[in-house]
Amino acid sequence: MTAAWRAAQRWAVLLLVAALAACAGVLPQIERAPSFARPAATETPLGSVARDASIPPTLSGVRALPQAAFALDARMAMIEQAQVSLDVQYYVIGNDTTGRMLLRALRDAARRGVRVRLLLDDMHTAGMDPLLQGLAAEPHVELRLFNPFVHGREAPLLRLFALAADFSRLNRRMHNKLLIADGALAVVGGRNMADEYFLRSRQSNFIDFDLLLAGAVLPRLAQLFDLYWNSEQAFELGRLARSRDSRAELQTAFDSATRGDTFTQEPQQPPATDLYGHPPFSAELARRSFHFIAAPTSAFADAPNKGGALVGSVDATDPLAQRTFALLHEAQSEVMLISPYFIPGQAGLGHMREARRAGIAVRVVTNSLAASDAPVVNTGYERYRMAMLQMGVELFEVSPSRLKREKTLRSLLGNSSARLHAKIGFIDRRTVLVGSMNLDPRSVFTNTEIGVAVRSPELAAMIITAYKVDSLEGVYKVSLADDGTNLQWTALNDDTPEVLDEPPEASLWQRLQIFILSTVVPEALL
Protein backbone atom coordinates (compact mmCIF):
# COMPACT_ATOMS: atom_id res chain seq x y z
CA MET A 1 0.00 0.00 0.00
CA THR A 2 1.50 3.31 -1.08
CA ALA A 3 1.81 6.37 1.15
CA ALA A 4 -0.55 8.22 -1.17
CA TRP A 5 -3.17 5.48 -0.85
CA ARG A 6 -2.89 5.49 2.97
CA ALA A 7 -3.28 9.25 3.00
CA ALA A 8 -6.35 8.98 0.78
CA GLN A 9 -7.88 6.43 3.17
CA ARG A 10 -7.26 8.70 6.16
CA TRP A 11 -8.90 11.61 4.34
CA ALA A 12 -11.87 9.41 3.43
CA VAL A 13 -12.32 8.39 7.07
CA LEU A 14 -12.04 12.02 8.21
CA LEU A 15 -14.60 13.11 5.63
CA LEU A 16 -16.97 10.32 6.71
CA VAL A 17 -16.61 11.29 10.37
CA ALA A 18 -17.20 14.94 9.48
CA ALA A 19 -20.28 14.03 7.43
CA LEU A 20 -21.73 11.97 10.26
CA ALA A 21 -21.07 14.75 12.75
CA ALA A 22 -22.81 17.22 10.45
CA CYS A 23 -25.79 14.87 10.15
CA ALA A 24 -26.06 14.57 13.91
CA GLY A 25 -26.04 18.31 14.53
CA VAL A 26 -26.12 20.02 17.91
CA LEU A 27 -29.27 20.44 19.96
CA PRO A 28 -30.14 24.07 20.67
CA GLN A 29 -29.44 25.39 24.15
CA ILE A 30 -32.77 26.69 25.41
CA GLU A 31 -34.52 27.72 28.58
CA ARG A 32 -37.83 25.91 28.71
CA ALA A 33 -40.88 27.69 30.02
CA PRO A 34 -42.41 25.06 32.33
CA SER A 35 -46.12 24.46 32.26
CA PHE A 36 -48.28 22.12 34.28
CA ALA A 37 -51.53 20.21 34.02
CA ARG A 38 -54.65 22.14 34.83
CA PRO A 39 -56.83 20.79 37.64
CA ALA A 40 -59.80 18.70 36.60
CA ALA A 41 -62.74 20.95 35.77
CA THR A 42 -65.49 19.12 37.63
CA GLU A 43 -68.37 20.97 35.99
CA THR A 44 -67.44 20.25 32.37
CA PRO A 45 -69.01 17.28 30.54
CA LEU A 46 -65.79 15.30 30.91
CA GLY A 47 -64.99 16.57 34.38
CA SER A 48 -68.29 15.28 35.74
CA VAL A 49 -67.94 11.75 34.31
CA ALA A 50 -66.45 10.26 37.49
CA ARG A 51 -69.24 11.82 39.55
CA ASP A 52 -71.99 10.71 37.18
CA ALA A 53 -70.50 7.21 37.03
CA SER A 54 -70.59 7.03 40.87
CA ILE A 55 -66.88 6.26 41.15
CA PRO A 56 -65.78 6.51 44.82
CA PRO A 57 -63.23 9.28 45.41
CA THR A 58 -60.43 6.88 46.37
CA LEU A 59 -60.92 4.57 43.37
CA SER A 60 -60.50 4.89 39.63
CA GLY A 61 -63.03 4.09 36.95
CA VAL A 62 -61.69 1.75 34.25
CA ARG A 63 -63.23 0.67 30.97
CA ALA A 64 -61.67 -1.94 28.68
CA LEU A 65 -61.21 -0.92 25.03
CA PRO A 66 -60.25 -4.10 23.16
CA GLN A 67 -62.08 -3.15 19.94
CA ALA A 68 -60.38 -0.64 17.67
CA ALA A 69 -63.54 1.22 16.67
CA PHE A 70 -64.50 1.83 20.31
CA ALA A 71 -60.95 2.86 21.23
CA LEU A 72 -60.90 5.46 18.45
CA ASP A 73 -64.41 6.65 19.32
CA ALA A 74 -63.39 7.21 22.96
CA ARG A 75 -60.37 9.29 21.98
CA MET A 76 -62.27 11.43 19.48
CA ALA A 77 -65.16 11.96 21.91
CA MET A 78 -62.74 13.10 24.61
CA ILE A 79 -61.08 15.59 22.25
CA GLU A 80 -64.38 16.88 20.85
CA GLN A 81 -65.91 17.36 24.31
CA ALA A 82 -62.87 18.86 26.02
CA GLN A 83 -63.35 22.39 27.28
CA VAL A 84 -60.21 23.13 29.32
CA SER A 85 -57.14 21.11 28.37
CA LEU A 86 -55.78 18.26 26.27
CA ASP A 87 -52.43 16.68 27.13
CA VAL A 88 -51.38 14.25 24.41
CA GLN A 89 -48.24 12.07 24.42
CA TYR A 90 -47.50 9.50 21.68
CA TYR A 91 -44.65 7.56 20.17
CA VAL A 92 -46.27 7.69 16.71
CA ILE A 93 -48.87 9.93 15.14
CA GLY A 94 -49.10 8.71 11.57
CA ASN A 95 -49.04 10.87 8.48
CA ASP A 96 -52.18 9.04 7.43
CA THR A 97 -55.96 9.24 7.79
CA THR A 98 -56.01 8.54 11.53
CA GLY A 99 -53.06 10.76 12.38
CA ARG A 100 -54.37 13.70 10.38
CA MET A 101 -57.86 13.26 11.80
CA LEU A 102 -56.40 13.46 15.32
CA LEU A 103 -54.31 16.54 14.49
CA ARG A 104 -57.32 18.31 13.00
CA ALA A 105 -59.44 17.46 16.05
CA LEU A 106 -56.73 18.95 18.27
CA ARG A 107 -56.69 22.07 16.09
CA ASP A 108 -60.46 22.40 16.37
CA ALA A 109 -60.25 22.02 20.16
CA ALA A 110 -57.62 24.75 20.33
CA ARG A 111 -59.89 27.05 18.34
CA ARG A 112 -62.56 26.48 20.99
CA GLY A 113 -60.09 27.83 23.55
CA VAL A 114 -58.83 24.46 24.86
CA ARG A 115 -55.15 24.44 25.79
CA VAL A 116 -53.48 21.69 23.74
CA ARG A 117 -50.07 20.29 24.71
CA LEU A 118 -48.79 17.70 22.23
CA LEU A 119 -45.60 15.78 23.04
CA LEU A 120 -44.49 13.54 20.20
CA ASP A 121 -41.46 11.30 19.93
CA ASP A 122 -39.38 12.44 16.95
CA MET A 123 -38.40 9.05 15.52
CA HIS A 124 -41.27 8.79 13.02
CA THR A 125 -41.90 12.42 12.07
CA ALA A 126 -39.77 12.59 8.89
CA GLY A 127 -41.50 14.86 6.38
CA MET A 128 -44.18 15.96 8.86
CA ASP A 129 -42.70 19.31 9.91
CA PRO A 130 -45.03 21.44 7.70
CA LEU A 131 -48.08 19.63 9.08
CA LEU A 132 -46.93 19.95 12.68
CA GLN A 133 -45.94 23.59 12.15
CA GLY A 134 -49.46 24.28 10.94
CA LEU A 135 -50.89 22.87 14.15
CA ALA A 136 -48.33 24.70 16.30
CA ALA A 137 -49.33 27.97 14.60
CA GLU A 138 -52.61 27.91 16.51
CA PRO A 139 -52.66 30.29 19.52
CA HIS A 140 -53.67 27.64 22.10
CA VAL A 141 -51.35 24.85 20.88
CA GLU A 142 -47.95 23.96 22.33
CA LEU A 143 -46.00 21.25 20.49
CA ARG A 144 -42.78 19.63 21.68
CA LEU A 145 -40.68 16.81 20.24
CA PHE A 146 -38.93 14.26 22.43
CA ASN A 147 -35.23 13.56 21.81
CA PRO A 148 -35.35 15.19 18.38
CA PHE A 149 -33.28 14.94 15.23
CA VAL A 150 -31.50 18.18 14.44
CA HIS A 151 -30.76 17.47 10.75
CA GLY A 152 -32.34 15.14 8.23
CA ARG A 153 -35.79 16.09 9.38
CA GLU A 154 -37.39 15.67 5.94
CA ALA A 155 -35.68 12.48 4.74
CA PRO A 156 -35.66 9.10 6.49
CA LEU A 157 -32.33 8.20 4.84
CA LEU A 158 -30.62 11.28 6.31
CA ARG A 159 -32.05 10.34 9.69
CA LEU A 160 -30.24 7.03 9.46
CA PHE A 161 -26.95 8.91 9.09
CA ALA A 162 -27.90 11.11 12.06
CA LEU A 163 -28.75 8.01 14.09
CA ALA A 164 -25.38 6.49 13.29
CA ALA A 165 -23.58 9.71 14.27
CA ASP A 166 -25.41 10.17 17.59
CA PHE A 167 -26.55 6.64 18.35
CA SER A 168 -26.34 6.72 22.14
CA ARG A 169 -28.82 9.61 22.28
CA LEU A 170 -31.10 8.99 19.31
CA ASN A 171 -31.47 5.30 20.10
CA ARG A 172 -33.44 6.28 23.23
CA ARG A 173 -37.09 6.86 22.35
CA MET A 174 -40.26 7.85 24.19
CA HIS A 175 -42.57 4.89 23.64
CA ASN A 176 -45.34 6.21 25.93
CA LYS A 177 -48.98 6.49 24.82
CA LEU A 178 -51.21 8.78 26.88
CA LEU A 179 -54.13 11.11 26.22
CA ILE A 180 -55.65 13.21 29.03
CA ALA A 181 -58.75 15.38 28.52
CA ASP A 182 -59.79 18.14 30.96
CA GLY A 183 -57.66 16.46 33.62
CA ALA A 184 -60.59 14.08 34.13
CA LEU A 185 -60.33 11.26 31.58
CA ALA A 186 -57.36 9.41 30.12
CA VAL A 187 -56.56 6.64 27.66
CA VAL A 188 -53.49 4.45 28.33
CA GLY A 189 -52.45 1.40 26.36
CA GLY A 190 -50.61 0.08 23.36
CA ARG A 191 -52.18 1.98 20.47
CA ASN A 192 -50.35 4.70 18.59
CA MET A 193 -52.37 7.17 16.54
CA ALA A 194 -52.01 5.62 13.09
CA ASP A 195 -54.24 3.62 10.74
CA GLU A 196 -52.81 0.19 11.49
CA TYR A 197 -53.62 0.48 15.22
CA PHE A 198 -57.32 0.93 14.50
CA LEU A 199 -57.78 -1.69 11.75
CA ARG A 200 -57.84 1.04 9.08
CA SER A 201 -54.82 -0.06 7.03
CA ARG A 202 -55.22 -1.98 3.79
CA GLN A 203 -51.89 -3.77 4.22
CA SER A 204 -51.46 -4.86 7.84
CA ASN A 205 -53.13 -4.16 11.18
CA PHE A 206 -52.49 -4.65 14.87
CA ILE A 207 -54.65 -6.34 17.48
CA ASP A 208 -54.24 -3.97 20.42
CA PHE A 209 -55.68 -2.83 23.74
CA ASP A 210 -56.31 0.34 25.77
CA LEU A 211 -57.96 1.37 29.03
CA LEU A 212 -60.20 4.40 29.46
CA LEU A 213 -59.61 5.82 32.94
CA ALA A 214 -61.38 8.28 35.25
CA GLY A 215 -61.20 9.14 38.93
CA ALA A 216 -58.38 8.93 41.44
CA VAL A 217 -55.54 7.94 39.07
CA LEU A 218 -55.89 11.05 36.88
CA PRO A 219 -53.74 13.44 38.96
CA ARG A 220 -50.91 10.89 38.89
CA LEU A 221 -51.16 10.55 35.09
CA ALA A 222 -51.13 14.34 34.74
CA GLN A 223 -48.05 14.49 36.94
CA LEU A 224 -46.29 11.94 34.74
CA PHE A 225 -47.17 13.91 31.61
CA ASP A 226 -45.74 17.08 33.16
CA LEU A 227 -42.55 15.21 34.02
CA TYR A 228 -41.94 14.52 30.32
CA TRP A 229 -43.26 17.85 29.06
CA ASN A 230 -40.86 19.83 31.22
CA SER A 231 -37.90 17.49 30.76
CA GLU A 232 -34.61 18.37 29.08
CA GLN A 233 -35.47 15.86 26.35
CA ALA A 234 -38.51 17.86 25.11
CA PHE A 235 -37.89 20.64 22.55
CA GLU A 236 -40.33 23.06 20.96
CA LEU A 237 -40.80 22.32 17.28
CA GLY A 238 -40.01 25.93 16.39
CA ARG A 239 -36.52 25.54 17.85
CA LEU A 240 -35.75 22.73 15.44
CA ALA A 241 -37.62 23.51 12.23
CA ARG A 242 -38.00 26.94 10.68
CA SER A 243 -40.57 27.96 8.09
CA ARG A 244 -40.60 30.95 5.75
CA ASP A 245 -44.39 30.88 5.74
CA SER A 246 -46.41 33.21 7.92
CA ARG A 247 -48.59 31.92 10.73
CA ALA A 248 -51.67 32.42 8.55
CA GLU A 249 -50.08 30.53 5.65
CA LEU A 250 -49.14 27.63 7.91
CA GLN A 251 -52.69 27.47 9.26
CA THR A 252 -54.17 27.52 5.75
CA ALA A 253 -51.86 24.74 4.58
CA PHE A 254 -52.74 22.65 7.63
CA ASP A 255 -56.44 23.14 7.00
CA SER A 256 -56.05 22.03 3.39
CA ALA A 257 -53.96 18.98 4.34
CA THR A 258 -56.44 17.75 6.95
CA ARG A 259 -59.77 18.51 5.28
CA GLY A 260 -62.10 15.56 4.92
CA ASP A 261 -62.28 15.90 1.14
CA THR A 262 -58.49 15.86 0.70
CA PHE A 263 -57.04 13.36 3.14
CA THR A 264 -58.84 12.65 6.37
CA GLN A 265 -61.51 10.00 6.25
CA GLU A 266 -63.98 9.94 9.08
CA PRO A 267 -63.97 6.55 10.78
CA GLN A 268 -66.93 4.27 10.46
CA GLN A 269 -69.28 4.47 13.38
CA PRO A 270 -68.68 1.67 15.87
CA PRO A 271 -71.40 -0.93 16.37
CA ALA A 272 -74.29 -0.14 18.70
CA THR A 273 -72.62 -2.08 21.53
CA ASP A 274 -69.19 -3.50 22.27
CA LEU A 275 -68.24 -7.04 23.27
CA TYR A 276 -69.69 -6.40 26.72
CA GLY A 277 -73.00 -4.96 25.54
CA HIS A 278 -72.01 -1.35 26.27
CA PRO A 279 -72.54 1.50 23.79
CA PRO A 280 -69.64 3.59 22.45
CA PHE A 281 -68.27 6.15 24.88
CA SER A 282 -69.51 9.01 22.69
CA ALA A 283 -73.05 7.69 23.11
CA GLU A 284 -72.56 7.32 26.86
CA LEU A 285 -71.44 10.94 27.07
CA ALA A 286 -74.58 12.05 25.26
CA ARG A 287 -76.78 10.01 27.61
CA ARG A 288 -74.70 10.65 30.75
CA SER A 289 -74.86 6.93 31.47
CA PHE A 290 -71.48 5.25 31.95
CA HIS A 291 -70.06 1.77 32.34
CA PHE A 292 -66.89 1.91 34.44
CA ILE A 293 -65.44 -0.59 36.88
CA ALA A 294 -64.39 1.08 40.13
CA ALA A 295 -61.04 -0.31 41.27
CA PRO A 296 -57.74 0.63 42.94
CA THR A 297 -55.42 1.77 40.15
CA SER A 298 -51.78 2.82 40.10
CA ALA A 299 -49.84 4.53 37.30
CA PHE A 300 -46.09 4.39 36.68
CA ALA A 301 -43.64 5.64 34.08
CA ASP A 302 -39.94 5.60 33.42
CA ALA A 303 -37.94 8.78 33.97
CA PRO A 304 -37.55 10.79 30.72
CA ASN A 305 -33.76 10.44 31.02
CA LYS A 306 -34.04 6.73 31.70
CA GLY A 307 -30.88 5.52 33.37
CA GLY A 308 -29.82 9.02 34.41
CA ALA A 309 -30.26 11.06 37.57
CA LEU A 310 -33.81 12.39 37.85
CA VAL A 311 -34.22 16.04 38.73
CA GLY A 312 -37.43 16.88 40.54
CA SER A 313 -39.78 15.42 43.08
CA VAL A 314 -41.86 13.10 40.90
CA ASP A 315 -41.49 9.47 41.92
CA ALA A 316 -40.23 7.92 38.69
CA THR A 317 -36.79 6.78 39.75
CA ASP A 318 -37.59 3.05 39.59
CA PRO A 319 -37.78 1.79 36.00
CA LEU A 320 -41.23 0.61 34.93
CA ALA A 321 -39.84 -2.86 34.29
CA GLN A 322 -38.64 -3.09 37.90
CA ARG A 323 -42.08 -2.08 39.18
CA THR A 324 -43.69 -4.61 36.85
CA PHE A 325 -41.50 -7.47 38.06
CA ALA A 326 -42.28 -6.48 41.65
CA LEU A 327 -46.00 -6.81 40.90
CA LEU A 328 -45.48 -10.16 39.18
CA HIS A 329 -43.82 -11.44 42.34
CA GLU A 330 -47.17 -11.01 44.10
CA ALA A 331 -48.57 -13.96 42.12
CA GLN A 332 -49.78 -16.92 44.12
CA SER A 333 -51.11 -19.22 41.40
CA GLU A 334 -50.88 -17.83 37.85
CA VAL A 335 -49.16 -15.24 35.64
CA MET A 336 -50.32 -14.60 32.08
CA LEU A 337 -48.36 -12.28 29.80
CA ILE A 338 -49.39 -10.94 26.40
CA SER A 339 -46.62 -9.13 24.54
CA PRO A 340 -45.97 -8.73 20.79
CA TYR A 341 -42.21 -8.78 21.36
CA PHE A 342 -41.00 -11.16 24.06
CA ILE A 343 -37.34 -11.53 25.00
CA PRO A 344 -37.10 -12.38 28.71
CA GLY A 345 -33.32 -12.21 28.98
CA GLN A 346 -31.50 -14.02 31.77
CA ALA A 347 -33.21 -11.86 34.42
CA GLY A 348 -36.69 -12.59 33.08
CA LEU A 349 -35.83 -16.24 32.77
CA GLY A 350 -34.81 -16.20 36.41
CA HIS A 351 -38.13 -14.63 37.43
CA MET A 352 -40.04 -17.33 35.54
CA ARG A 353 -37.93 -20.12 36.98
CA GLU A 354 -38.60 -18.81 40.48
CA ALA A 355 -42.32 -18.70 39.77
CA ARG A 356 -42.40 -22.23 38.38
CA ARG A 357 -40.51 -23.57 41.41
CA ALA A 358 -43.21 -22.01 43.57
CA GLY A 359 -45.86 -23.89 41.58
CA ILE A 360 -47.11 -20.77 39.75
CA ALA A 361 -48.42 -21.35 36.24
CA VAL A 362 -46.81 -19.06 33.64
CA ARG A 363 -48.42 -18.51 30.24
CA VAL A 364 -46.99 -16.29 27.47
CA VAL A 365 -48.70 -15.19 24.25
CA THR A 366 -46.54 -13.49 21.60
CA ASN A 367 -46.25 -13.12 17.84
CA SER A 368 -45.01 -15.97 15.71
CA LEU A 369 -42.21 -15.29 13.25
CA ALA A 370 -44.80 -15.05 10.46
CA ALA A 371 -46.92 -12.54 12.39
CA SER A 372 -44.20 -10.23 13.72
CA ASP A 373 -43.65 -6.80 12.16
CA ALA A 374 -40.14 -6.88 13.68
CA PRO A 375 -38.90 -10.41 12.88
CA VAL A 376 -35.40 -9.53 14.10
CA VAL A 377 -36.89 -9.57 17.62
CA ASN A 378 -37.60 -13.26 17.14
CA THR A 379 -33.87 -13.90 17.13
CA GLY A 380 -33.87 -12.98 20.81
CA TYR A 381 -37.09 -14.81 21.62
CA GLU A 382 -35.84 -18.03 20.03
CA ARG A 383 -32.76 -18.03 22.27
CA TYR A 384 -34.97 -18.53 25.34
CA ARG A 385 -37.86 -20.56 23.95
CA MET A 386 -36.39 -23.99 24.71
CA ALA A 387 -35.39 -23.00 28.26
CA MET A 388 -38.88 -21.64 28.98
CA LEU A 389 -40.54 -24.81 27.76
CA GLN A 390 -38.21 -27.00 29.77
CA MET A 391 -39.18 -25.22 32.98
CA GLY A 392 -42.89 -25.64 32.19
CA VAL A 393 -43.82 -22.23 30.81
CA GLU A 394 -46.74 -22.41 28.37
CA LEU A 395 -45.93 -20.65 25.08
CA PHE A 396 -48.43 -19.58 22.43
CA GLU A 397 -47.62 -17.86 19.14
CA VAL A 398 -50.15 -15.82 17.18
CA SER A 399 -50.87 -16.99 13.64
CA PRO A 400 -51.79 -14.28 11.09
CA SER A 401 -53.93 -16.66 9.05
CA ARG A 402 -55.69 -18.32 11.98
CA LEU A 403 -56.61 -14.94 13.48
CA LYS A 404 -58.74 -14.33 10.41
CA ARG A 405 -60.80 -17.47 11.01
CA GLU A 406 -62.83 -15.50 13.55
CA LYS A 407 -65.77 -14.09 11.56
CA THR A 408 -65.93 -10.56 13.00
CA LEU A 409 -62.19 -10.04 12.87
CA ARG A 410 -62.06 -11.40 9.33
CA SER A 411 -64.64 -8.87 8.17
CA LEU A 412 -62.74 -6.01 9.84
CA LEU A 413 -59.36 -7.03 8.46
CA GLY A 414 -60.46 -7.63 4.89
CA ASN A 415 -57.41 -8.53 2.81
CA SER A 416 -54.95 -7.07 5.32
CA SER A 417 -52.75 -9.15 7.59
CA ALA A 418 -53.04 -9.11 11.37
CA ARG A 419 -50.57 -9.30 14.22
CA LEU A 420 -50.52 -8.83 17.98
CA HIS A 421 -49.58 -5.46 19.52
CA ALA A 422 -51.39 -5.53 22.90
CA LYS A 423 -49.30 -5.47 26.08
CA ILE A 424 -51.25 -6.98 28.98
CA GLY A 425 -50.35 -8.90 32.12
CA PHE A 426 -52.62 -10.81 34.51
CA ILE A 427 -51.65 -11.74 38.05
CA ASP A 428 -53.85 -14.43 39.59
CA ARG A 429 -56.68 -13.05 37.43
CA ARG A 430 -57.03 -10.29 40.02
CA THR A 431 -54.52 -7.63 38.92
CA VAL A 432 -54.24 -6.35 35.35
CA LEU A 433 -51.17 -4.60 33.94
CA VAL A 434 -51.68 -2.45 30.83
CA GLY A 435 -49.42 0.02 29.08
CA SER A 436 -46.84 0.64 26.40
CA MET A 437 -44.07 -1.65 27.67
CA ASN A 438 -43.05 -4.68 25.64
CA LEU A 439 -41.23 -7.48 27.40
CA ASP A 440 -37.94 -7.02 25.59
CA PRO A 441 -34.56 -5.34 26.24
CA ARG A 442 -35.48 -2.14 24.37
CA SER A 443 -38.47 -1.49 26.62
CA VAL A 444 -36.66 -2.58 29.77
CA PHE A 445 -33.39 -0.70 29.31
CA THR A 446 -33.63 1.88 26.51
CA ASN A 447 -37.04 3.33 25.67
CA THR A 448 -39.29 5.10 28.15
CA GLU A 449 -42.65 3.50 28.91
CA ILE A 450 -45.87 4.09 30.84
CA GLY A 451 -48.26 1.63 32.46
CA VAL A 452 -51.10 1.17 34.92
CA ALA A 453 -51.94 -1.61 37.37
CA VAL A 454 -55.62 -2.24 38.12
CA ARG A 455 -56.63 -4.55 40.95
CA SER A 456 -59.94 -5.89 39.65
CA PRO A 457 -60.98 -9.52 39.06
CA GLU A 458 -63.93 -8.18 37.08
CA LEU A 459 -61.70 -6.30 34.66
CA ALA A 460 -59.37 -9.29 34.33
CA ALA A 461 -62.31 -11.55 33.46
CA MET A 462 -63.60 -9.09 30.86
CA ILE A 463 -60.25 -8.82 29.08
CA ILE A 464 -59.66 -12.58 29.22
CA THR A 465 -63.08 -13.06 27.63
CA ALA A 466 -62.42 -10.47 24.93
CA TYR A 467 -59.12 -12.01 23.87
CA LYS A 468 -60.30 -15.58 24.46
CA VAL A 469 -57.21 -16.15 26.57
CA ASP A 470 -58.52 -19.45 27.91
CA SER A 471 -59.43 -20.92 24.52
CA LEU A 472 -56.69 -19.04 22.61
CA GLU A 473 -58.11 -19.09 19.12
CA GLY A 474 -55.84 -17.95 16.33
CA VAL A 475 -52.63 -19.28 17.87
CA TYR A 476 -50.27 -22.21 17.83
CA LYS A 477 -49.18 -23.81 21.09
CA VAL A 478 -45.42 -24.41 21.18
CA SER A 479 -44.23 -27.51 22.99
CA LEU A 480 -41.32 -29.88 23.24
CA ALA A 481 -41.35 -32.81 20.84
CA ASP A 482 -41.23 -36.34 22.20
CA ASP A 483 -37.44 -36.38 21.91
CA GLY A 484 -37.21 -33.40 24.27
CA THR A 485 -34.76 -31.57 22.01
CA ASN A 486 -36.98 -30.29 19.19
CA LEU A 487 -40.11 -28.12 19.05
CA GLN A 488 -43.63 -28.66 17.80
CA TRP A 489 -46.38 -26.18 16.93
CA THR A 490 -49.95 -27.36 17.47
CA ALA A 491 -52.90 -25.42 16.06
CA LEU A 492 -55.62 -25.17 18.69
CA ASN A 493 -59.40 -25.46 18.31
CA ASP A 494 -59.37 -27.84 15.37
CA ASP A 495 -61.24 -31.14 15.25
CA THR A 496 -57.99 -32.67 14.04
CA PRO A 497 -55.19 -30.53 15.48
CA GLU A 498 -52.48 -29.58 13.02
CA VAL A 499 -48.99 -30.39 14.33
CA LEU A 500 -45.91 -28.86 12.68
CA ASP A 501 -42.19 -29.37 13.15
CA GLU A 502 -41.26 -25.96 11.69
CA PRO A 503 -42.39 -22.40 12.59
CA PRO A 504 -45.88 -22.09 11.05
CA GLU A 505 -46.44 -19.90 8.00
CA ALA A 506 -42.83 -18.68 8.00
CA SER A 507 -41.10 -18.88 4.64
CA LEU A 508 -37.65 -20.32 4.11
CA TRP A 509 -36.44 -16.78 3.37
CA GLN A 510 -37.81 -15.51 6.71
CA ARG A 511 -36.08 -18.31 8.59
CA LEU A 512 -32.83 -17.62 6.72
CA GLN A 513 -33.06 -13.92 7.59
CA ILE A 514 -33.51 -14.76 11.25
CA PHE A 515 -30.52 -17.09 11.19
CA ILE A 516 -28.30 -14.38 9.67
CA LEU A 517 -29.55 -11.60 11.94
CA SER A 518 -29.10 -13.74 15.04
CA THR A 519 -25.35 -13.74 14.39
CA VAL A 520 -24.93 -9.97 14.01
CA VAL A 521 -27.62 -8.14 16.05
CA PRO A 522 -26.86 -7.90 19.78
CA GLU A 523 -29.70 -8.69 22.15
CA ALA A 524 -29.49 -5.25 23.77
CA LEU A 525 -30.77 -3.67 20.54
CA LEU A 526 -33.80 -5.94 20.17
Side-chain angles (χ1 to χ4, degrees):
M1 183 182 293
T2 67
W5 178 245
R6 287 195 296 269
Q9 284 183 317
R10 286 196 293 271
W11 277 108
V13 171
L14 288 172
L15 288 172
L16 178 60
V17 171
L20 288 175
C23 285
V26 178
L27 287 170
Q29 298 296 315
I30 62 173
E31 290 187 10
R32 294 165 180 79
S35 69
F36 299 95
R38 293 179 176 172
T42 57
E43 298 308 316
T44 67
L46 300 183
S48 59
V49 166
R51 182 194 65 205
D52 293 348
S54 300
I55 300 169
T58 60
L59 301 180
S60 299
V62 292
R63 173 170 174 168
L65 297 173
Q67 293 164 275
F70 290 84
L72 186 57
D73 170 83
R75 286 171 169 86
M76 297 308 296
M78 289 164 59
I79 295 172
E80 290 166 2
Q81 293 296 318
Q83 293 186 5
V84 177
S85 63
L86 288 164
D87 291 334
V88 183
Q89 180 182 16
Y90 278 102
Y91 175 57
V92 175
I93 293 180
N95 193 6
D96 56 19
T97 57
T98 301
R100 294 197 177 200
M101 181 180 68
L102 171 82
L103 294 175
R104 188 177 181 90
L106 294 176
R107 190 283 307 268
D108 293 345
R111 290 189 171 181
R112 298 194 308 267
V114 177
R115 186 190 70 173
V116 175
R117 295 190 297 172
L118 173 59
L119 179 59
L120 180 60
D121 185 84
D122 200 34
M123 177 58 78
H124 297 283
T125 62
M128 291 182 66
D129 281 354
L131 191 65
L132 298 176
Q133 287 167 333
L135 176 62
E138 296 294 328
H140 295 286
V141 173
E142 301 172 58
L143 197 157
R144 295 182 181 182
L145 299 176
F146 188 89
N147 208 5
F149 288 77
V150 179
H151 296 311
R153 298 200 53 76
E154 296 303 310
L157 181 59
L158 291 178
R159 289 194 173 204
L160 288 178
F161 284 109
L163 178 62
D166 195 7
F167 186 78
S168 62
R169 180 180 72 85
L170 292 175
N171 184 47
R172 295 180 176 273
R173 307 315 317 174
M174 181 191 76
H175 197 236
N176 310 39
K177 291 99 175 170
L178 172 65
L179 190 157
I180 305 174
D182 282 356
L185 288 173
V187 174
V188 175
R191 291 183 175 99
N192 291 296
M193 291 304 302
D195 286 346
E196 59 267 32
Y197 297 91
F198 297 95
L199 307 187
R200 304 182 77 196
S201 171
R202 294 182 179 180
Q203 285 76 42
S204 62
N205 288 285
F206 291 114
I207 308 302
D208 219 322
F209 183 76
D210 298 305
L211 283 178
L212 177 62
L213 298 156
V217 75
L218 264 295
R220 172 61 173 170
L221 291 171
Q223 187 183 41
L224 293 174
F225 180 91
D226 285 345
L227 177 67
Y228 280 80
W229 182 260
N230 296 312
S231 71
E232 293 183 354
Q233 289 73 34
F235 289 78
E236 293 178 10
L237 174 63
R239 300 281 187 167
L240 303 160
R242 303 288 183 180
S243 176
R244 296 180 180 179
D245 295 336
S246 67
R247 179 184 293 269
E249 288 171 331
L250 289 171
Q251 291 172 331
T252 298
F254 178 90
D255 187 72
S256 176
T258 59
R259 277 203 321 265
D261 60 344
T262 58
F263 196 96
T264 300
Q265 299 174 6
E266 292 298 322
Q268 292 184 348
Q269 290 298 313
T273 58
D274 63 13
L275 292 171
Y276 313 116
H278 302 153
F281 184 65
S282 59
E284 292 192 342
L285 275 172
R287 302 170 189 170
R288 307 305 300 174
S289 176
F290 303 103
H291 293 86
F292 284 93
I293 297 170
T297 303
S298 303
F300 310 102
D302 289 314
N305 62 337
K306 191 169 182 174
L310 182 65
V311 177
S313 59
V314 178
D315 177 20
T317 52
D318 290 338
L320 181 62
Q322 183 175 323
R323 295 175 183 267
T324 300
F325 288 135
L327 288 169
L328 293 176
H329 276 261
E330 296 180 4
Q332 299 294 313
S333 59
E334 180 186 50
V335 170
M336 295 190 289
L337 303 171
I338 299 176
S339 178
Y341 319 109
F342 188 77
I343 305 174
Q346 290 300 328
L349 209 62
H351 289 300
M352 287 188 283
R353 184 176 292 109
E354 183 180 340
R356 292 297 300 130
R357 286 173 177 169
I360 297 170
V362 179
R363 174 181 290 188
V364 175
V365 182
T366 190
N367 278 317
S368 66
L369 173 58
S372 180
D373 66 315
V376 66
V377 175
N378 280 64
T379 65
Y381 164 63
E382 289 180 2
R383 294 169 193 167
Y384 298 98
R385 188 164 50 192
M386 181 68 72
M388 288 189 288
L389 291 171
Q390 288 173 340
M391 68 176 69
V393 174
E394 292 185 277
L395 290 182
F396 301 87
E397 297 180 2
V398 170
S399 158
S401 65
R402 296 183 69 82
L403 275 177
K404 296 178 74 171
R405 292 189 178 191
E406 202 279 321
K407 182 178 179 181
T408 302
L409 195 55
R410 183 170 65 249
S411 66
L412 291 171
L413 291 168
N415 293 323
S416 70
S417 60
R419 49 179 58 101
L420 178 69
H421 196 260
K423 307 103 167 40
I424 316 171
F426 303 93
I427 303 171
D428 295 339
R429 305 193 180 212
R430 301 184 61 83
T431 300
V432 180
L433 311 178
V434 175
S436 66
M437 189 182 80
N438 299 305
L439 296 172
D440 62 12
R442 174 161 290 277
S443 281
V444 172
F445 300 111
T446 305
N447 290 347
T448 70
E449 309 287 355
I450 189 170
V452 296
V454 184
R455 299 184 184 277
S456 170
E458 182 181 356
L459 178 67
M462 291 177 70
I463 302 173
I464 288 169
T465 298
Y467 287 95
K468 301 181 179 179
V469 174
D470 286 326
S471 58
L472 284 173
E473 296 180 12
V475 304
Y476 283 88
K477 181 175 183 178
V478 189
S479 57
L480 294 173
D482 291 339
D483 61 12
T485 59
N486 290 297
L487 303 180
Q488 287 184 335
W489 286 261
T490 303
L492 302 182
N493 300 307
D494 281 348
D495 293 335
T496 304
E498 176 187 17
V499 181
L500 304 174
D501 296 324
E502 298 287 346
E505 304 171 47
S507 66
L508 178 61
W509 171 237
Q510 284 177 307
R511 296 200 294 270
L512 180 61
Q513 280 182 303
I514 291 301
F515 173 75
I516 295 171
L517 290 171
S518 67
T519 64
V520 297
V521 180
E523 187 173 302
L525 295 181
L526 298 177

